[in-house]
Amino acid sequence: MTQQDTDQQGTDQSRNLPKRELGTQGLEAGAIGLGTMGMTMAYGAGDEPGGIATIRRAYELGVTLFDTAELYGMGTGSNEQLLGRAVKDFRDDIVIATKFGFDMDAPQNAAGMALNSRPDHIREVTENSLRHLGTDYIDVLYQHRVDPDVPIEDVAGTVGELIAEGKVRYLGLSEAGPDILRRAHAVHPVSVLQTEYSVFERAVEAEVLPVVRELGIGFVPYSPLGRGFLTGAVKPAAEYPQDDMRSWDDRWQPGNYEKNLAAIRELTALADTKGITATQLALAWLLAQGDDIVPIPGTRSPQRLAENVAAAQATLTPQDLARVQEILPRGAAGSRYPEAIMPSW
Ligand SMILES: NC(=O)c1ccc[n+]([C@@H]2O[C@H](COP(=O)([O-])OP(=O)(O)OC[C@H]3O[C@@H](n4cnc5c(N)ncnc54)[C@H](OP(=O)(O)O)[C@@H]3O)[C@@H](O)[C@H]2O)c1
């Protein structure tokens, strides 16, 4: 499939991007969203013009859920500002999700960024996010990481107050386990949980997804393309620049890399039989896991965005799903985070 074909496929087929409900509080979004993290960090140099063009193309193709965070600008607001600028002409048609939960002023240590979900800090970060986004309401406000020093009841209560004040519409959590979800939900309804989930990363299936479904919470898989590995457009860890996290990501390290590449070759062969790309297969697989799921693949390219959005038109049969399971019964080789920063549920 050429780039032009892919774009064409995205253009023609995805204007009808179906909507999905996230949670039971009224939040709705196009079945595929867009993550903006890579536009300013994580995968080498950011790309502001590419990011803005991609966000606008996404809107044209029916994407409504746009995912950012205070963290993605490392406290400067750059990622939220980029998103706010890109969507200013259609802001009320879309869902802006952002996140608090880190202390950007504290030095980074081996355990990563310092956490801070104290109520006064949540309020301060929310005001900053509103300013950076150039909006007077945030649709989904996520706690980015559970803070062991602040009871989740205080966090849910604070976001509940911001909702009552009209500054926020829905409460979200990221990387929260069953107990935290239940406790937060008892204080204020959680509309959406965001956690890594993909053909490569399956940990949420055992205990998290059942609780999400029991409580009627929507689920947003992040890194749904395995940080790009599932697209097949990969190279060994040593070939990435230092500011690209794939230079140290365990799934790219020698030994794991070769195993994961072999799995991608098999996924690509399956995708070929269906006339779709491996990337589209990975996203269609997530959509097939439940109609309460809206993945947020990240890209800086309008063309790749169109390819990703068109995945919503792909249908996987039970045989396709069984074949994926056979290729990757437990997900990728290698851990999704180093031990020191691995979220614990
Ligand atoms: N809550 C959390 O803790 C958390 C953690 C991580 C991420 N997230 C969110 O989830 C979003 C998505 O996750 P992610 O960006 O980490 O990983 P991802 O979506 O799994 O993969 C992104 C990578 O795939 C590449 N890519 C995307 N579409 C492609 C295509 N069609 N063909 C080839 N390459 C393609 C992108 O490169 P190009 O940009 O060059 O296309 C980028 O390098 C983030 O933007 C962020 O909003 C949240």
Side-chain angles (χ1 to χ4, degrees):
M1 191 180 290
T2 66
Q3 191 68 66
Q4 196 181 0
D5 291 337
T6 304
D7 195 30
Q8 196 61 34
Q9 188 180 10
T11 308
D12 288 343
Q13 297 186 0
S14 53
R15 284 220 168 89
N16 299 325
L17 185 61
K19 288 249 162 78
R20 290 188 163 198
E21 279 174 30
L22 287 168
T24 50
Q25 288 73 50
L27 177 59
E28 207 182 60
I32 292 192
L34 175 64
T36 65
M37 180 177 76
M39 297 174 190
T40 54
M41 70 179 297
Y43 306 122
D47 179 358
E48 186 153 328
I52 288 179
T54 303
I55 291 165
R56 292 187 175 152
R57 185 80 179 117
Y59 174 67
E60 286 169 9
L61 294 179
V63 171
T64 61
L65 175 60
F66 294 86
D67 189 80
T68 178
E70 179 196 38
L71 181 73
Y72 305 160
M74 293 306 285
T76 66
S78 62
N79 195 281
E80 291 170 319
Q81 285 165 2
L82 185 160
L83 177 60
R85 269 204 307 285
V87 304
K88 67 177 184 329
D89 293 339
F90 48 84
R91 190 270 167 269
D92 289 336
D93 301 343
I94 61 156
V95 173
I96 294 180
T98 191
K99 315 183 192 77
F100 65 85
F102 293 99
D103 182 347
M104 295 294 157
D105 297 327
Q108 193 169 350
N109 59 28
M113 300 292 304
L115 300 174
N116 187 348
S117 279
R118 288 196 319 272
D120 58 340
H121 189 67
I122 295 175
R123 285 188 165 277
E124 185 189 330
V125 175
T126 302
E127 292 302 330
N128 290 340
S129 292
L130 287 166
R131 200 176 61 254
H132 293 141
L133 287 160
T135 185
D136 51 12
Y137 65 97
I138 291 161
D139 297 279
V140 181
L141 186 61
Y142 286 105
Q143 182 192 40
H144 209 147
R145 286 288 180 276
V146 174
D147 183 342
D149 296 331
V150 182
I152 196 67
E153 288 79 2
D154 294 358
V155 175
T158 304
V159 178
E161 287 166 16
L162 290 164
I163 291 171
E165 291 162 25
K167 294 180 175 173
V168 173
R169 294 178 66 212
Y170 301 102
L171 165 63
L173 297 178
S174 170
E175 294 282 355
D179 177 53
I180 294 286
L181 280 168
R182 287 185 194 287
R183 285 171 48 199
H185 199 69
V187 174
H188 189 93
V190 179
S191 297
V192 58
L193 173 69
Q194 174 174 146
T195 296
E196 184 166 353
Y197 186 33
S198 71
V199 170
F200 257 23
E201 176 46 57
R202 312 281 286 276
V204 291
E205 290 176 348
E207 291 175 358
V208 173
L209 285 181
V211 172
V212 155
R213 270 133 193 192
E214 178 198 321
L215 300 177
I217 296 172
F219 189 80
V220 168
Y222 78 70
S223 302
L225 299 174
R227 301 194 182 272
F229 211 127
L230 286 161
T231 70
V234 286
K235 47 195 182 182
E239 293 180 27
Y240 288 93
Q242 263 190 336
D243 62 352
D244 190 316
M245 62 173 290
R246 291 169 294 192
S247 63
W248 49 263
D249 190 305
D250 201 31
R251 293 174 290 199
W252 267 263
Q253 301 309 312
N256 293 333
Y257 179 79
E258 292 74 13
K259 284 187 200 138
N260 293 331
L261 199 57
I264 298 311
R265 292 203 179 105
E266 292 190 67
L267 291 175
T268 305
L270 172 61
D272 284 348
T273 67
K274 304 190 62 68
I276 59 176
T277 64
T279 305
Q280 291 171 329
L281 176 70
L283 293 172
W285 180 89
L286 274 171
L287 293 175
Q289 304 309 308
D291 58 13
D292 52 356
I293 287 185
V294 175
I296 47 166
T299 179
R300 296 161 288 195
S301 145
Q303 287 75 26
R304 292 193 282 282
L305 178 278
E307 176 188 351
N308 299 351
V309 172
Q313 312 302 326
T315 309
L316 302 187
T317 63
Q319 291 76 17
D320 298 329
L321 295 170
R323 178 69 190 125
V324 172
Q325 183 63 22
E326 206 173 75
I327 296 168
L328 280 164
R330 283 173 299 279
S335 168
R336 67 196 182 101
Y337 282 117
E339 193 57 38
I341 59 168
M342 179 71 90
S344 62
W345 300 329

Tab-separated table of all heavy atoms in Angstrom, residues 221-262:
chain	number	residue	atom	x	y	z
A	221	PRO	N	-6.575	3.039	25.899
A	221	PRO	CA	-5.251	2.436	25.842
A	221	PRO	C	-4.221	3.444	25.341
A	221	PRO	O	-4.389	4.016	24.261
A	221	PRO	CB	-5.394	1.308	24.804
A	221	PRO	CG	-6.850	1.128	24.587
A	221	PRO	CD	-7.472	2.464	24.868
A	222	TYR	N	-3.180	3.665	26.150
A	222	TYR	CA	-2.098	4.523	25.630
A	222	TYR	C	-0.991	3.656	25.044
A	222	TYR	O	-0.962	2.443	25.263
A	222	TYR	CB	-1.600	5.516	26.674
A	222	TYR	CG	-0.667	5.034	27.765
A	222	TYR	CD1	0.645	4.664	27.516
A	222	TYR	CD2	-1.085	5.039	29.093
A	222	TYR	CE1	1.504	4.282	28.530
A	222	TYR	CE2	-0.240	4.652	30.124
A	222	TYR	CZ	1.058	4.265	29.836
A	222	TYR	OH	1.906	3.880	30.831
A	223	SER	N	-0.102	4.277	24.285
A	223	SER	CA	0.916	3.546	23.503
A	223	SER	C	0.292	2.322	22.828
A	223	SER	O	0.812	1.206	22.925
A	223	SER	CB	2.112	3.154	24.386
A	223	SER	OG	2.707	4.281	24.978
A	224	PRO	N	-0.811	2.529	22.104
A	224	PRO	CA	-1.506	1.380	21.502
A	224	PRO	C	-0.728	0.738	20.367
A	224	PRO	O	-1.051	-0.373	19.952
A	224	PRO	CB	-2.811	2.008	20.979
A	224	PRO	CG	-2.443	3.434	20.693
A	224	PRO	CD	-1.468	3.808	21.780
A	225	LEU	N	0.307	1.454	19.893
A	225	LEU	CA	1.172	0.885	18.852
A	225	LEU	C	2.503	0.428	19.456
A	225	LEU	O	3.516	0.339	18.748
A	225	LEU	CB	1.396	1.920	17.738
A	225	LEU	CG	0.115	2.366	17.036
A	225	LEU	CD1	0.389	3.495	16.045
A	225	LEU	CD2	-0.553	1.179	16.334
A	226	GLY	N	2.494	0.163	20.776
A	226	GLY	CA	3.722	-0.308	21.418
A	226	GLY	C	4.869	0.647	21.210
A	226	GLY	O	5.997	0.250	20.965
A	227	ARG	N	4.565	1.955	21.325
A	227	ARG	CA	5.536	3.048	21.132
A	227	ARG	C	6.130	3.010	19.721
A	227	ARG	O	7.255	3.431	19.492
A	227	ARG	CB	6.617	3.037	22.215
A	227	ARG	CG	6.018	3.175	23.621
A	227	ARG	CD	7.053	3.496	24.668
A	227	ARG	NE	6.483	3.584	26.011
A	227	ARG	CZ	5.971	4.693	26.550
A	227	ARG	NH1	5.950	5.801	25.863
A	227	ARG	NH2	5.486	4.693	27.779
A	228	GLY	N	5.361	2.467	18.793
A	228	GLY	CA	5.776	2.457	17.398
A	228	GLY	C	6.258	1.097	16.919
A	228	GLY	O	6.356	0.867	15.714
A	229	PHE	N	6.552	0.173	17.859
A	229	PHE	CA	7.080	-1.128	17.423
A	229	PHE	C	6.060	-1.844	16.544
A	229	PHE	O	6.413	-2.475	15.531
A	229	PHE	CB	7.438	-2.006	18.629
A	229	PHE	CG	8.587	-2.934	18.360
A	229	PHE	CD1	9.701	-2.963	19.206
A	229	PHE	CD2	8.585	-3.784	17.262
A	229	PHE	CE1	10.778	-3.807	18.954
A	229	PHE	CE2	9.660	-4.634	17.005
A	229	PHE	CZ	10.753	-4.648	17.847
A	230	LEU	N	4.775	-1.721	16.890
A	230	LEU	CA	3.749	-2.473	16.157
A	230	LEU	C	3.524	-1.947	14.736
A	230	LEU	O	2.796	-2.561	13.960
A	230	LEU	CB	2.440	-2.462	16.961
A	230	LEU	CG	2.480	-3.381	18.196
A	230	LEU	CD1	1.396	-3.010	19.197
A	230	LEU	CD2	2.358	-4.837	17.785
A	231	THR	N	4.134	-0.821	14.406
A	231	THR	CA	4.027	-0.325	13.031
A	231	THR	C	5.048	-1.020	12.129
A	231	THR	O	4.961	-0.925	10.904
A	231	THR	CB	4.302	1.195	12.958
A	231	THR	OG1	5.701	1.419	13.213
A	231	THR	CG2	3.473	1.964	13.971
A	232	GLY	N	6.038	-1.660	12.744
A	232	GLY	CA	7.106	-2.302	11.978
A	232	GLY	C	8.193	-1.319	11.554
A	232	GLY	O	9.237	-1.727	11.057
A	233	ALA	N	7.956	-0.018	11.754
A	233	ALA	CA	8.952	0.996	11.356
A	233	ALA	C	9.951	1.168	12.500
A	233	ALA	O	9.931	2.168	13.221
A	233	ALA	CB	8.253	2.319	11.038
A	234	VAL	N	10.793	0.153	12.708
A	234	VAL	CA	11.684	0.148	13.867
A	234	VAL	C	13.120	-0.150	13.469
A	234	VAL	O	13.381	-0.681	12.386
A	234	VAL	CB	11.238	-0.904	14.915
A	234	VAL	CG1	10.007	-0.445	15.653
A	234	VAL	CG2	11.010	-2.267	14.278
A	235	LYS	N	14.016	0.184	14.387
A	235	LYS	CA	15.430	-0.165	14.218
A	235	LYS	C	15.966	-0.513	15.609
A	235	LYS	O	15.306	-0.191	16.617
A	235	LYS	CB	16.190	1.005	13.589
A	235	LYS	CG	15.915	2.337	14.229
A	235	LYS	CD	16.401	3.496	13.357
A	235	LYS	CE	16.148	4.812	14.078
A	235	LYS	NZ	16.518	5.992	13.324
A	236	PRO	N	17.133	-1.146	15.695
A	236	PRO	CA	17.641	-1.533	17.013
A	236	PRO	C	17.872	-0.316	17.916
A	236	PRO	O	18.128	0.798	17.435
A	236	PRO	CB	18.969	-2.227	16.685
A	236	PRO	CG	18.850	-2.648	15.260
A	236	PRO	CD	17.986	-1.609	14.595
A	237	ALA	N	17.809	-0.537	19.234
A	237	ALA	CA	17.909	0.540	20.226
A	237	ALA	C	19.098	1.472	19.971
A	237	ALA	O	18.968	2.697	20.054
A	237	ALA	CB	18.021	-0.070	21.620
A	238	ALA	N	20.246	0.910	19.640
A	238	ALA	CA	21.472	1.700	19.506
A	238	ALA	C	21.384	2.719	18.369
A	238	ALA	O	22.171	3.670	18.320
A	238	ALA	CB	22.662	0.772	19.275
A	239	GLU	N	20.441	2.546	17.470
A	239	GLU	CA	20.346	3.466	16.323
A	239	GLU	C	19.433	4.667	16.592
A	239	GLU	O	19.275	5.530	15.726
A	239	GLU	CB	19.867	2.692	15.085
A	239	GLU	CG	20.907	1.679	14.620
A	239	GLU	CD	20.461	0.887	13.398
A	239	GLU	OE1	19.645	1.416	12.610
A	239	GLU	OE2	20.922	-0.266	13.254
A	240	TYR	N	18.798	4.717	17.779
A	240	TYR	CA	17.970	5.882	18.112
A	240	TYR	C	18.809	6.915	18.853
A	240	TYR	O	19.723	6.555	19.603
A	240	TYR	CB	16.795	5.465	19.015
A	240	TYR	CG	15.731	4.663	18.291
A	240	TYR	CD1	15.756	3.271	18.283
A	240	TYR	CD2	14.689	5.300	17.613
A	240	TYR	CE1	14.795	2.536	17.612
A	240	TYR	CE2	13.726	4.563	16.943
A	240	TYR	CZ	13.782	3.186	16.944
A	240	TYR	OH	12.822	2.472	16.275
A	241	PRO	N	18.508	8.209	18.679
A	241	PRO	CA	19.231	9.221	19.461
A	241	PRO	C	18.874	9.098	20.943
A	241	PRO	O	17.860	8.497	21.295
A	241	PRO	CB	18.716	10.547	18.883
A	241	PRO	CG	17.439	10.226	18.196
A	241	PRO	CD	17.512	8.784	17.785
A	242	GLN	N	19.714	9.701	21.793
A	242	GLN	CA	19.518	9.573	23.239
A	242	GLN	C	18.200	10.155	23.732
A	242	GLN	O	17.669	9.725	24.747
A	242	GLN	CB	20.677	10.250	23.965
A	242	GLN	CG	21.738	9.260	24.372
A	242	GLN	CD	22.755	9.890	25.290
A	242	GLN	OE1	22.928	11.110	25.276
A	242	GLN	NE2	23.422	9.085	26.088
A	243	ASP	N	17.691	11.198	23.014
A	243	ASP	CA	16.435	11.793	23.469
A	243	ASP	C	15.217	11.022	22.952
A	243	ASP	O	14.086	11.481	23.088
A	243	ASP	CB	16.350	13.284	23.081
A	243	ASP	CG	16.388	13.494	21.561
A	243	ASP	OD1	16.635	12.513	20.823
A	243	ASP	OD2	16.168	14.641	21.119
A	244	ASP	N	15.456	9.866	22.384
A	244	ASP	CA	14.362	8.987	21.971
A	244	ASP	C	14.342	7.824	22.958
A	244	ASP	O	15.327	7.080	23.073
A	244	ASP	CB	14.600	8.496	20.538
A	244	ASP	CG	13.384	7.785	19.967
A	244	ASP	OD1	12.782	6.959	20.694
A	244	ASP	OD2	13.043	8.037	18.795
A	245	MET	N	13.221	7.653	23.679
A	245	MET	CA	13.195	6.654	24.742
A	245	MET	C	13.350	5.224	24.235
A	245	MET	O	13.623	4.317	24.995
A	245	MET	CB	11.924	6.785	25.594
A	245	MET	CG	10.629	6.571	24.864
A	245	MET	SD	9.224	6.564	26.018
A	245	MET	CE	9.475	5.034	26.907
A	246	ARG	N	13.196	5.045	22.933
A	246	ARG	CA	13.392	3.701	22.405
A	246	ARG	C	14.860	3.283	22.449
A	246	ARG	O	15.182	2.115	22.305
A	246	ARG	CB	12.810	3.620	20.996
A	246	ARG	CG	11.287	3.716	21.074
A	246	ARG	CD	10.650	3.905	19.751
A	246	ARG	NE	11.000	5.197	19.146
A	246	ARG	CZ	10.378	5.697	18.082
A	246	ARG	NH1	9.408	5.033	17.519
A	246	ARG	NH2	10.728	6.872	17.597
A	247	SER	N	15.767	4.261	22.702
A	247	SER	CA	17.180	3.907	22.863
A	247	SER	C	17.389	3.109	24.155
A	247	SER	O	18.358	2.365	24.269
A	247	SER	CB	18.053	5.159	22.853
A	247	SER	OG	17.723	5.996	23.946
A	248	TRP	N	16.466	3.289	25.144
A	248	TRP	CA	16.607	2.492	26.378
A	248	TRP	C	15.408	1.593	26.675
A	248	TRP	O	15.414	0.813	27.621
A	248	TRP	CB	16.922	3.389	27.587
A	248	TRP	CG	16.036	4.590	27.774
A	248	TRP	CD1	16.303	5.857	27.376
A	248	TRP	CD2	14.739	4.639	28.408
A	248	TRP	NE1	15.266	6.700	27.719
A	248	TRP	CE2	14.288	5.974	28.365
A	248	TRP	CE3	13.918	3.691	29.030
A	248	TRP	CZ2	13.063	6.395	28.883
A	248	TRP	CZ3	12.698	4.103	29.552
A	248	TRP	CH2	12.284	5.443	29.473
A	249	ASP	N	14.375	1.659	25.874
A	249	ASP	CA	13.204	0.811	26.099
A	249	ASP	C	13.601	-0.663	25.974
A	249	ASP	O	14.254	-1.063	25.005
A	249	ASP	CB	12.124	1.166	25.055
A	249	ASP	CG	10.786	0.512	25.353
A	249	ASP	OD1	10.751	-0.734	25.499
A	249	ASP	OD2	9.781	1.229	25.442
A	250	ASP	N	13.196	-1.447	26.972
A	250	ASP	CA	13.588	-2.859	27.061
A	250	ASP	C	13.148	-3.675	25.838
A	250	ASP	O	13.795	-4.643	25.455
A	250	ASP	CB	12.931	-3.440	28.328
A	250	ASP	CG	13.619	-4.688	28.808
A	250	ASP	OD1	14.838	-4.805	28.615
A	250	ASP	OD2	12.925	-5.568	29.369
A	251	ARG	N	12.044	-3.268	25.227
A	251	ARG	CA	11.524	-4.070	24.118
A	251	ARG	C	12.382	-3.920	22.861
A	251	ARG	O	12.253	-4.682	21.920
A	251	ARG	CB	10.066	-3.689	23.848
A	251	ARG	CG	9.170	-4.106	25.008
A	251	ARG	CD	7.756	-3.639	24.867
A	251	ARG	NE	7.614	-2.200	25.013
A	251	ARG	CZ	6.471	-1.575	25.283
A	251	ARG	NH1	5.376	-2.274	25.435
A	251	ARG	NH2	6.424	-0.274	25.405
A	252	TRP	N	13.240	-2.888	22.880
A	252	TRP	CA	14.147	-2.647	21.748
A	252	TRP	C	15.549	-3.220	21.994
A	252	TRP	O	16.394	-3.125	21.121
A	252	TRP	CB	14.256	-1.135	21.499
A	252	TRP	CG	13.295	-0.609	20.487
A	252	TRP	CD1	13.549	-0.376	19.157
A	252	TRP	CD2	11.924	-0.229	20.683
A	252	TRP	NE1	12.420	0.107	18.545
A	252	TRP	CE2	11.411	0.213	19.451
A	252	TRP	CE3	11.062	-0.240	21.793
A	252	TRP	CZ2	10.094	0.662	19.280
A	252	TRP	CZ3	9.755	0.195	21.635
A	252	TRP	CH2	9.283	0.635	20.388
A	253	GLN	N	15.802	-3.719	23.193
A	253	GLN	CA	17.168	-4.145	23.513
A	253	GLN	C	17.497	-5.481	22.831
A	253	GLN	O	16.597	-6.273	22.553
A	253	GLN	CB	17.350	-4.255	25.030
A	253	GLN	CG	17.098	-2.952	25.788
A	253	GLN	CD	17.879	-1.760	25.218
A	253	GLN	OE1	19.089	-1.854	24.961
A	253	GLN	NE2	17.187	-0.630	25.019
A	254	PRO	N	18.793	-5.722	22.573
A	254	PRO	CA	19.197	-6.962	21.906
A	254	PRO	C	18.590	-8.190	22.599
A	254	PRO	O	18.541	-8.249	23.830
A	254	PRO	CB	20.728	-6.957	22.053
A	254	PRO	CG	21.090	-5.514	22.197
A	254	PRO	CD	19.933	-4.850	22.899
A	255	GLY	N	18.131	-9.113	21.830
A	255	GLY	CA	17.457	-10.298	22.402
A	255	GLY	C	15.954	-10.110	22.304
A	255	GLY	O	15.279	-10.817	21.554
A	256	ASN	N	15.440	-9.098	23.000
A	256	ASN	CA	14.000	-8.799	22.910
A	256	ASN	C	13.655	-8.267	21.517
A	256	ASN	O	12.623	-8.604	20.954
A	256	ASN	CB	13.599	-7.740	23.954
A	256	ASN	CG	13.733	-8.275	25.371
A	256	ASN	OD1	13.630	-9.484	25.588
A	256	ASN	ND2	13.944	-7.386	26.323
A	257	TYR	N	14.513	-7.410	20.999
A	257	TYR	CA	14.234	-6.755	19.714
A	257	TYR	C	13.969	-7.787	18.618
A	257	TYR	O	12.981	-7.687	17.885
A	257	TYR	CB	15.425	-5.854	19.339
A	257	TYR	CG	15.251	-5.160	18.014
A	257	TYR	CD1	14.451	-4.033	17.907
A	257	TYR	CD2	15.882	-5.633	16.863
A	257	TYR	CE1	14.279	-3.396	16.682
A	257	TYR	CE2	15.718	-5.007	15.646
A	257	TYR	CZ	14.916	-3.883	15.560
A	257	TYR	OH	14.735	-3.262	14.347
A	258	GLU	N	14.839	-8.773	18.538
A	258	GLU	CA	14.715	-9.769	17.467
A	258	GLU	C	13.417	-10.563	17.619
A	258	GLU	O	12.715	-10.826	16.644
A	258	GLU	CB	15.922	-10.722	17.470
A	258	GLU	CG	17.242	-10.075	17.068
A	258	GLU	CD	17.839	-9.167	18.153
A	258	GLU	OE1	17.367	-9.218	19.321
A	258	GLU	OE2	18.763	-8.388	17.834
A	259	LYS	N	13.082	-10.924	18.872
A	259	LYS	CA	11.838	-11.683	19.099
A	259	LYS	C	10.629	-10.840	18.715
A	259	LYS	O	9.685	-11.320	18.089
A	259	LYS	CB	11.710	-12.051	20.591
A	259	LYS	CG	12.596	-13.180	21.014
A	259	LYS	CD	12.284	-13.595	22.458
A	259	LYS	CE	13.465	-14.363	23.015
A	259	LYS	NZ	13.808	-14.038	24.365
A	260	ASN	N	10.662	-9.579	19.090
A	260	ASN	CA	9.510	-8.712	18.800
A	260	ASN	C	9.390	-8.442	17.296
A	260	ASN	O	8.289	-8.382	16.752
A	260	ASN	CB	9.625	-7.405	19.594
A	260	ASN	CG	9.473	-7.659	21.088
A	260	ASN	OD1	8.782	-8.608	21.485
A	260	ASN	ND2	10.090	-6.838	21.914
A	261	LEU	N	10.541	-8.329	16.654
A	261	LEU	CA	10.516	-8.106	15.202
A	261	LEU	C	9.926	-9.326	14.483
A	261	LEU	O	9.149	-9.183	13.535
A	261	LEU	CB	11.945	-7.830	14.714
A	261	LEU	CG	12.074	-7.155	13.368
A	261	LEU	CD1	11.338	-5.820	13.332
A	261	LEU	CD2	13.560	-6.942	13.033
A	262	ALA	N	10.279	-10.523	14.979
A	262	ALA	CA	9.734	-11.753	14.372
A	262	ALA	C	8.206	-11.759	14.523
A	262	ALA	O	7.481	-12.132	13.592
A	262	ALA	CB	10.355	-12.976	15.041
